[in-house]
Amino acid sequence: MTPHPASRASVVVIGGGVMGTSAAYHLARAGVADVVLVERDELAAGSTSRAAGGVRAQFSDELNIRLGARSLEAFGRFTEEPGQDIGLHRVGYLFLLSTPEEVASFEAGVRLQNSLGVPSRMIDPAQARRLSPLITTDGLLAAAYSPEDGHCTPESVVHGYAAAARRHGAKILRHCEATGIELRGDTITAVVTERGRIETDTVICAAGAWARAVGAMVGVDLPVEPLRRQIAVTEAVPDLPPQLPMTIDFTTSFYFHTEGPGLLVGMSDPDERPGFATETHDRWIPRLCAAMEHRAPALLDLRRTGGWAGLYEVTPDHNALIGEAASPSRFLYATGFSGHGFLQGPAVGEILRDLYLGRVPFVDVSPLSVDRFAADAPRPEVNRV
């Protein structure tokens, strides 16, 4: 067994995806000494590297809008700070709406987004087709478009944060699984890993779909369930408009955006059951093809050249868990993002830093505390894909 490179830490971050690396970066950059991040596999090996990469502020919940907008600003300057090319394409998000209820919901969302400085707008089906020429407008009533949204490369974001965290003095330990958390009364005393103990009084749980097991180590119930989601990649598409927006048929959840010379295509699968399996299967393809036939029939002719599966980390109200546990002391968590975690990583890293330092974050995240479920005060997010 190799000796442990870190026997003591001011804070141990569990999870090396976008949340964990963003937290480690923001803490180390703020001058917190002895930040240690432990990841049982490679960085971004969990859900982050399997995300579709969409980044947006187009949500129905004010907190999500603010987290998304703050993160978009950070993604926009990522090449300067922390200093990494993340392949950001600000091509916009286009939600295609086919029912009067969807239109009313998105109109209300656009009003809220605009009040918070997000330049989203409602457009008609003909304008939507000009932006996304692969679609048909049959049955479309309207669309919602926000030009500053887009997509980027999730692994690059993680590696950018990790490299910058190291530059600021954080230690990042890969292939180092956290197997337990030691307590003395109500106080955390250490994180136990495969490679030895790390004495600490503070843990940040950023373990994504695996967060429930980490919470259980200290008696905190984080109600997160893993749910497999699949993505397919197509062959090159001739004459793809370079500014093709992330296009989402909201009724079916079928979406696509450019991926190199082809398209990345995804959709939810109502038959999928919670679990940690990430093998790909083709059971979802007939439903995907039906959605394509209805909304973007040109895509049916494209050959699939690849694809992958990853895990959403779903909470009962499809909204995140962010906060600090009442007990034990100094157990912080950020998980359960239900599919919009990658795009909120920059803002949530800032918030975790502020919670750790006892500062007031730029937005009050107390409504996202896990305690909302015990208090029967869920906070549903509608604009989910």
Side-chain angles (χ1 to χ4, degrees), residues 71-87:
S71 296
L72 275 174
E73 287 173 32
F75 287 131
R77 53 170 193 269
F78 218 88
T79 39
E80 292 83 57
E81 179 57 49
Q84 175 92 2
D85 177 8
I86 57 170

Side-chain angles (χ1 to χ4, degrees), residues 183-208:
L183 297 170
R184 189 182 306 119
D186 195 44
T187 306
I188 291 170
T189 54
V191 172
V192 182
T193 77
E194 301 172 300
R195 292 160 61 185
R197 289 171 79 253
I198 307 173
E199 286 180 24
T200 189
D201 61 5
T202 305
V203 168
I204 294 177
C205 173

Side-chain angles (χ1 to χ4, degrees), residues 4 24 34 58 66 86 91 109 113 116 121 129 140 142 158-159 190 202 317 337 346 351 355 368 379-380:
H4 207 299
D34 302 320
Q58 247 188 124
R66 295 182 65 181
I86 57 170
V91 290
Q113 292 152 20
L116 296 166
R121 60 183 189 266
R129 183 148 200 262
L140 274 194
V158 167
H159 291 300
T202 305
D317 62 2
F337 289 87
I351 288 166
L355 292 177
L368 296 178
R379 191 179 175 98

Side-chain angles (χ1 to χ4, degrees), residues 32 37-38 51 81 104-105 121 172 184 192 215 243-245 276 279 285 293 320 359 363:
V32 177
L37 181 151
V38 295
E81 179 57 49
S105 169
R121 60 183 189 266
I172 294 186
R184 189 182 306 119
V192 182
Q243 290 300 105
L244 183 79
F276 286 99
E279 301 79 23
I285 296 297
E293 188 164 16
R359 296 179 186 168
V363 60

Side-chain angles (χ1 to χ4, degrees), residues 2-220:
T2 51
H4 207 299
S7 58
R8 174 168 285 134
S10 53
V11 52
V12 174
V13 181
I14 299 177
V18 71
M19 290 301 154
T21 53
S22 175
Y25 161 75
H26 282 98
L27 286 163
R29 190 171 181 225
V32 177
D34 302 320
V35 175
V36 176
L37 181 151
V38 295
E39 161 57 48
R40 67 178 181 192
D41 197 343
E42 293 292 345
L43 294 178
S47 299
T48 301
S49 65
R50 299 186 172 104
V55 292
R56 63 176 162 129
Q58 247 188 124
F59 286 96
S60 66
D61 177 310
E62 175 172 346
L63 265 175
N64 285 330
I65 295 166
R66 295 182 65 181
L67 293 172
R70 181 81 159 207
S71 296
L72 275 174
E73 287 173 32
F75 287 131
R77 53 170 193 269
F78 218 88
T79 39
E80 292 83 57
E81 179 57 49
Q84 175 92 2
D85 177 8
I86 57 170
L88 179 62
H89 300 282
R90 293 191 95 156
V91 290
Y93 254 65
L94 178 67
F95 284 95
L96 307 174
L97 311 172
S98 308
T99 70
E101 295 76 20
E102 288 170 4
V103 174
S105 169
F106 273 79
E107 283 173 342
V110 163
R111 282 195 295 276
L112 179 57
Q113 292 152 20
N114 292 171
S115 75
L116 296 166
V118 174
S120 53
R121 60 183 189 266
M122 300 297 293
I123 61 176
D124 66 32
Q127 291 170 300
R129 183 148 200 262
R130 280 199 290 280
L131 287 164
S132 189
L134 294 164
I135 66 166
T136 68
T137 55
D138 299 352
L140 274 194
L141 298 180
Y145 176 62
S146 192
E148 292 188 358
D149 297 346
H151 53 93
C152 61
T153 307
E155 299 96 308
S156 293
V157 171
V158 167
H159 291 300
Y161 275 144
R166 286 191 193 98
R167 284 199 300 276
H168 287 287
K171 284 198 178 78
I172 294 186
L173 308 178
R174 297 169 306 141
H175 305 288
C176 182
E177 182 169 2
T179 54
I181 297 172
E182 293 179 5
L183 297 170
R184 189 182 306 119
D186 195 44
T187 306
I188 291 170
T189 54
V191 172
V192 182
T193 77
E194 301 172 300
R195 292 160 61 185
R197 289 171 79 253
I198 307 173
E199 286 180 24
T200 189
D201 61 5
T202 305
V203 168
I204 294 177
C205 173
W210 297 269
R212 191 167 214 157
V214 176
M217 293 173 185
V218 292
V220 173

Side-chain angles (χ1 to χ4, degrees), residues 263-327:
L263 292 173
L264 178 152
V265 178
M267 154 173 203
S268 66
D269 176 1
D271 296 335
E272 196 66 70
R273 292 288 160 261
F276 286 99
T278 53
E279 301 79 23
T280 55
H281 62 72
D282 279 352
R283 293 193 303 273
W284 70 301
I285 296 297
R287 201 179 258 119
L288 175 68
C289 288
M292 283 180 181
E293 188 164 16
H294 176 63
R295 185 54 64 218
L299 271 59
L300 288 170
D301 300 332
L302 297 173
R303 208 163 39 88
R304 263 194 296 160
T305 55
W308 60 85
L311 296 174
Y312 269 22
E313 28 170 312
V314 184
T315 62
D317 62 2
H318 295 268
N319 223 336
L321 308 175
I322 306 173
E324 180 165 356
S327 168

